Amino acid sequence: MSAPPAAPAPRAVEVGPLRLWSPVVLAPMAGVTDAPFRRLCRRFGESGLPPELRSAGVDAERGDEDGAARRRPVRGVDAPAGLYVTEMVTSRALVEGNEETWRMVRPDPEERVRSVQLYGVDPATMARAARILVERGLVDHIDLNFGCPVPKVTRKGGGAALPWKRDLFADLVSAVVRAAADVPVTVKMRIGIDDAHVTYLDASQIAVDAGVAGIGLHARTQMQHYSGQADWSSIARLRDAVPERVAVLGNGDVFSGEDAVRMVETTGCDAVVVGRGCQGRPWLFRDIVRALHGLPALEGPTLGEVAEVVERHARWTVLDQGDERRAMREMRKHVGWYLRGFAVGGTARRDLNLVSSLEELHERLQALDLDQPFPRAGEGRRGRAGGEKAPHLPDGWLDSPRLSEAERAQLHLAEIGVSGG
């Protein structure tokens, strides 16, 4: 495997009071970035740290291999291997005490820095959710979702559609920043709705004025979804447009350590955000951390090593879910991602997709040809790119960048049934 481009060891990136000694962020992904997966990604990220950061106590408070922390690490402002953010949770569901939503924000006992992404459209509800998280000691960083392109969210004015309404965007961000007090708030957004309705520069200025600590930009429009190529030049323009004290987090098409180094070098962004690229490949964080610290690349894992990761992931998911059969159902999509590119026949894949216990998973994994090296087909892009999709928006949404009274009256509908969406 080729070495990454030469890169100086990065300084700590400041996101408010937080210090990211590795400038990488795990993006929130619905149904993916639960506590077990975050732990896997974070542990791999920590394994890629240079010795001087490892010796600073990063590994001093480590849980056992079954994921049960021996004792909770001291929380602090330092994030040695970057930030690892929860799945998106809906502020209204949190405020109303939805059991599943509260399960989603339950922190991993190993987490030094607890990052939660909130979604919502009502400033008062968003502020209340932020206050609850802060008062209960459940969060050290809050990220606000203004980038979701899913039609069930945008057709009601939420997610990537919302920054078009500048007054609502300003009210939301300001309300959460005030409610969060000393806890840093970041916003995640897209370039805009489509090429004719670009919002990110105006929205970023509004966010800066509201007091955010950082701005994450997925360098695609809502219309693009995940298709085509991310426009990294927009990340560079954002870095030039906002004060240095505000961290800029670049997102889009980071699938390797080399990609991460190239994004930082070409855009000037402070950190890279990784989403689809780590699906079935949590060791990508080790590769990115090593590359950003100027360390040489490592070979990809063999199928046997991947199988060990799968089983560890599954054990932790059983512990997290408290239900082995449910956990095995949850693991199915992950197993498919883990096996991408390996020579595993259709029958074996089908059988793995039907496992209902840890024992059965172990038996079927051990029946594979585990000596296979990591395949070239397993590298590069991950996730379904698809094609462009016509934006789904409320009727008349683009008529004005300010909310009408009728639109304001309908906004509450954007939060119904969206938790984790």
Side-chain angles (χ1 to χ4, degrees):
M1 185 175 294
S2 62
R11 61 175 176 79
V13 172
E14 295 183 355
V15 181
L18 300 179
R19 292 192 295 266
L20 279 60
W21 289 98
S22 299
V24 61
V25 178
L26 168 63
M29 290 180 282
V32 178
T33 54
D34 57 9
F37 188 71
R38 295 198 309 274
R39 184 188 301 148
L40 268 177
C41 293
R42 187 177 60 253
R43 284 199 183 184
F44 272 111
E46 290 172 357
S47 75
L49 289 167
E52 61 270 23
L53 284 179
R54 280 185 164 190
S55 63
V58 172
D59 293 321
E61 303 287 353
R62 175 49 51 84
D64 60 32
E65 280 304 299
D66 287 331
R70 297 189 180 98
R71 61 186 187 275
R72 178 121 175 39
V74 176
R75 288 169 64 189
V77 297
D78 287 301
L83 292 178
Y84 297 81
V85 190
T86 66
E87 302 171 73
M88 182 184 85
V89 295
T90 301
S91 57
R92 187 173 299 280
L94 197 67
V95 168
E96 293 177 352
N98 179 275
E99 183 177 345
E100 177 62 16
T101 301
W102 274 103
R103 189 193 69 78
M104 290 164 66
V105 300
R106 184 180 66 223
D108 181 345
E110 290 187 16
E111 288 177 319
R112 293 171 62 108
V113 176
R114 297 168 168 180
S115 295
V116 173
Q117 188 184 69
L118 282 178
Y119 163 85
V121 296
D122 176 65
T125 305
M126 289 279 280
R128 188 175 173 194
R131 277 196 301 273
I132 290 172
L133 290 170
V134 172
E135 290 170 357
R136 297 190 185 184
L138 294 173
V139 67
D140 303 295
H141 161 234
I142 294 173
D143 186 53
L144 302 182
N145 184 302
F146 300 109
C148 181
V150 175
K152 71 175 181 179
V153 173
T154 62
R155 68 163 51 100
K156 296 174 181 176
L162 196 146
W164 173 252
K165 298 296 185 181
R166 298 177 190 176
D167 52 344
L168 176 60
F169 180 78
D171 290 345
L172 277 169
V173 178
S174 297
V176 174
V177 170
R178 287 194 299 269
D182 295 332
V183 170
V185 175
T186 58
V187 296
K188 173 81 177 293
M189 64 180 72
R190 286 180 172 244
I191 291 174
I193 292 172
D194 54 30
D195 290 341
H197 300 88
V198 171
T199 58
Y200 76 103
L201 290 176
D202 288 338
S204 295
Q205 187 57 59
I206 291 169
V208 168
D209 293 343
V212 301
I215 299 169
L217 181 65
H218 185 157
R220 288 182 170 88
T221 63
Q222 175 189 335
M223 185 173 183
Q224 284 181 278
H225 274 236
Y226 300 96
S227 67
Q229 197 79 17
D231 178 15
W232 287 4
S233 67
S234 63
I235 301 171
R237 285 191 290 273
L238 176 61
R239 179 63 282 174
D240 289 341
V242 302
E244 286 295 322
R245 71 176 185 277
V246 177
V248 169
L249 316 175
N251 182 208
D253 295 348
V254 173
F255 298 106
S256 67
E258 293 91 334
D259 290 339
V261 170
R262 190 165 58 252
M263 176 182 275
V264 171
E265 290 180 340
T266 61
T267 71
C269 68
D270 299 287
V272 298
V273 181
V274 180
R276 295 172 299 145
C278 68
Q279 292 176 351
R281 200 167 49 175
W283 52 86
L284 178 60
F285 286 91
R286 176 201 63 195
D287 298 346
I288 289 174
V289 167
R290 288 181 63 87
L292 290 171
H293 284 284
L295 299 175
L298 301 177
E299 292 294 327
T302 65
L303 182 54
E305 291 167 332
V306 171
E308 291 176 4
V309 175
V310 172
E311 292 197 59
R312 187 182 313 140
H313 189 172
R315 288 196 303 272
W316 291 351
T317 302
V318 170
L319 286 169
D320 184 63
Q321 298 276 356
D323 182 323
E324 189 168 12
R325 294 183 69 88
R326 177 181 173 183
M328 290 300 99
R329 289 195 299 270
E330 181 65 25
M331 282 297 300
R332 289 173 184 173
K333 61 177 176 286
H334 291 284
V335 172
W337 292 333
Y338 278 118
L339 296 181
R340 176 177 169 177
F342 284 104
V344 177
T347 299
R349 289 178 185 270
R350 183 199 63 205
D351 291 345
L352 279 163
N353 200 43
L354 296 174
V355 298
S356 58
S357 69
L358 290 169
E359 181 179 3
E360 192 177 2
L361 176 66
H362 175 75
E363 290 174 355
R364 291 185 177 175
L365 286 172
Q366 291 304 306
L368 303 177
D369 175 13
L370 299 179
D371 292 331
Q372 295 181 54
F374 194 77
R376 183 172 296 277
E379 299 174 353
R381 291 176 175 268
R382 292 264 169 147
R384 295 179 180 176
E388 292 190 349
K389 305 177 191 294
H392 290 73
L393 303 167
D395 290 341
W397 189 254
L398 297 178
D399 291 348
S400 169
R402 299 185 65 83
L403 274 181
S404 68
E405 288 306 313
E407 289 168 339
R408 191 177 295 276
Q410 294 295 310
L411 273 177
H412 68 283
L413 298 174
E415 294 191 345
I416 295 176
V418 178
S419 186

